[in-house]
Amino acid sequence: ETTLRAVSAFADDTTFSVNFQRFIDKVNESGKGVIQINYVGGGGKVMNPFELGNAVKTGVVDIGNLPGAFYTNLLPEADAIKLSRYTIQEERQNGAWAYMNKLHNEKVNAELLARQKDCVPFHIYLNKKIDKPDLTGLKIRVTPIYRAFFAAMGAENIRTAPGEVYTALERGTVDGYGWPTVGVLDLGWHEVTKYRVDPGFYRASVEILMNLDSWKKLSDAERGVINSAVQWLESLCEEDKAIAEKEIARQTEAGIQAITFEGQVADDYLQLAYDSGWKAFLEANTEHGPKLQELLSK
Amino acid sequence: MKQLASLYSTLLDACGLLAGFVFVLLALFVSIDVVIRNVGLGNFGWLIEISEYALYGATFIAAPWVLRLGAHVRVDLVVGNVPRRAALALEIVTDLIGLAISLILFWYSLAATIASAESNSLIFKDLVVTEWWLLAVLPASMALLAIEFVVRLVRAVRGRTEAGNDTVLDGL
Amino acid sequence: MDWLSALVLMLGLLCALMAIGLPVAFAFLGVNIVGAFVFLGGEAGLTQLARNAMASLTSFTLVPIALFLLMGEILFHSGVAFKAIDAVDRLISRVPGRLSIVSVVGGTIFSSLSGSTIANTAVLGSMLLPNMLKRGYHPTLAMGPIMAAGSIAMLIPPSALAVLLGSLAGISISKLLIAGIIPGLMLSIFFLGYVVIRAGLKPELAPSYEIEAVRGWNRWRPFVIYVLPLFGIFAVVVGSILAGWATPTESAALGCTASAIAAAGYRSLSVKVMIKSMRETAKIAVMILFIIVASVTFSQILAFSGATNGLLGVINSFEATPFMILLAMLVVLLFLGAFMDQVSMIMITLPFFIPLAKLVGIDLLWLGVLMLIVMEISFTTPPFGLLLYVMKGVAPPDITLGQIYAAAAPFIVLELIALAIIVAVPDIATWLPTIMRR
Ligand code: NA
Ligand code: NA
């Protein structure tokens, strides 16, 4: 019986760890006597989240649960995952996953095992009302995920340490921030947020990486157990959408109003999100950029 | 030899002063950032990132100097309450352990630095920073710490314990 | 390896290395090397260990630790702090225990300007102690109040330790800083009360003496010139946080700038003063940050090995009430505090305390303040108490460490009483932060 060690970049039982933990339970249940996963834990108490990619690469950890943005130091191309217009099932069909997996093999020494939270997008959250997709004159807290898009909308991009975002929103140092549909309430930021801009953009997905040596060592029976759990994990899109709906209802209850763009405005808004995102991506990734854009765009 | 020793001392002193200077610069720039932001002149987007690297760099660069001053806090319960000979023996043991720790960390931080340089890792935040430039601070710091432990060791073997002179005064 | 063996290996080795006198940071690093090899997996684990050293320090929330220290050092080395205490000295009239009262009042004022207990104690000790001993003060009433008032610096903001605790425990740093104000003032009043009563009952412990009679404006003038303007610095640091204008890091930077401006205003700022302040800040800040590097990784390896969860599981299985768990935490901290410094205390206990407190529903802000008070107590509990050594350093050579221990004892009792009161009435700690601007 093989035992693998798994770590999540997010704290135990929080939005982006829950399904990963369920995935592990699934493997441990169906893999009795064949393969087991020892879930070591999640978040900063176990490992600096930005070191998890390297830990998977070197085999300190066998399986890691982390978004592409957390290991761009190892694989800058991981940044393109957020820009994909396809579901993971479609990507496995059209060659996009295979291309990305090859890059993971080569540069991260990892198998791109699975993707979760595939159906959850990002949003702009604001404290000042806007009536068109224009952030001119607004100070928006960014991470590298949003920088190009928000800049293209005329925002003044501001970097704020994670622990200081609440205070910064509270006293108006920043007028807004980017975040997935889910998770705002976990952080308590709903107390200092007035608006959410719809529709959402990009994919707030989390990747599950497995050390390539550990992956290669697995027998067919062991891979079978893992693969069927992966299939289950990647089928949770509808469930995730329902969870996001509930989260939106809770946001509304907490006083966050929706600013909704419709029709052509919404289309233009999304087009700008992807165009600006790809533009920045292509500038930084001349080698694999064009091919990835072709594979991931519709 | 004597010249080399004094050159080394000067180097350590400079490292300490540099760390202090970095903290003064941080105070200055963060203050300016607050003011210009509040009068609506924008902000230094790179300041947080630079501050983080500066804090890390200053700490590792100045750690050997702090060891030279004997200002790394230690629990002197045992050392302070045993006969002189025993205290000397303990000093030798701790210096040897300290030396081993510094050498092991020197080796593996060097390995981490080389691995990062070979795979050309870049850190993408506001700035794009070559990762191994940052990691290289570690082996440099560990090498200086190892030298400093050797100096302490030599002193202890010659029969002079530094435990009595260590400034346990320097705390919080 | 099962979790219990892992726990015994990690903690046992740590204690052994600390006990033989290896500097605390290196004791952590040594255990980390063994732990990384065993639990993270051989050489790959050791390389990861090296990378973690960088990752654990590149954090903006740790910046105020250095800046709050810098503030205190600027005011100390420029002599501004001395002038302020001298001005307080003029105000207090001829009463028994006069100089003890000056040290408590002056120490409390300087506490609001400095995040460093060492600077605070050193200022008071070098300024007031020689005079006290010359006047025939009993060592208890001479050194006790100085150490006690010195240690308040970490409770009343600015406080480097509160920032450290808040950032590592995930407690709002602004709230924790603000929460320390009332308990700090309460302690200061306790100390004053004790000094007045003790010197009143036994005047020979602190003989009163004739002081130059300064009347009217001349008596108040130094206070107005050298103390009142300094409250501007406190207002900048605390006010900017209270009003919600500045993050803790920004308030620390503003505090440094304000201190430098104040020193310049008194024509006491020079390149020499700045260099001295820079060196002293670097020495202490680097010492603290280096321990942080080592101990953050220590607690991560401990969690990685399964020891943290294993121990929590056992504690949980006792089904103790939250109150009993809180008491157990405080006792453990008091015990550790007798032997080690404040940063190590935080580092060793947090990986267990925070998950445990969340599990049983103990208010983290309240727990944070209680932890700060225990850490304050541990500054003067023998055998290892930093302020005891500072006192030894500034006292005349004929004062023994035993006398210093004895001098601290009554004040430790007062601090324990204050701790008990805040355990019973959490509002003392948590009320002020709740009225902060939302
Ligand atoms: Na203070
Ligand atoms: Na103590």
Side-chain angles (χ1 to χ4, degrees), chain B residues 28-115:
Chain B
L28 195 64
F29 275 98
V30 175
S31 297
I32 295 173
D33 188 45
V34 175
V35 172
I36 64 167
R37 187 186 60 222
N38 282 313
V39 299
L41 288 176
N43 77 332
F44 304 144
W46 40 265
L47 186 59
I48 290 182
E49 197 175 335
I50 293 283
S51 307
E52 292 173 351
Y53 298 145
L55 194 73
Y56 153 75
T59 301
F60 277 94
I61 284 299
W65 168 72
V66 175
L67 184 62
R68 157 63 56 99
L69 297 178
H72 282 296
V73 281
R74 47 199 275 171
V75 182
D76 61 353
L77 255 187
V78 179
V79 183
N81 292 303
V82 294
R84 201 183 133 70
R85 289 185 65 90
L88 263 181
L90 271 180
E91 177 70 31
I92 292 173
V93 171
T94 53
D95 288 342
L96 277 172
I97 296 175
L99 177 62
I101 290 170
S102 308
L103 287 176
I104 293 172
L105 289 178
F106 167 75
W107 180 253
Y108 286 99
S109 58
L110 190 65
T113 308
I114 292 172

Side-chain angles (χ1 to χ4, degrees), chain A residues 32-54:
Chain A
K32 281 200 180 87
V34 183
I35 189 166
Q36 293 288 294
I37 299 178
N38 170 21
Y39 178 56
V40 177
K45 71 165 190 186
V46 178
M47 176 165 280
N48 184 307
F50 293 93
E51 282 299 317
L52 183 52
N54 191 70

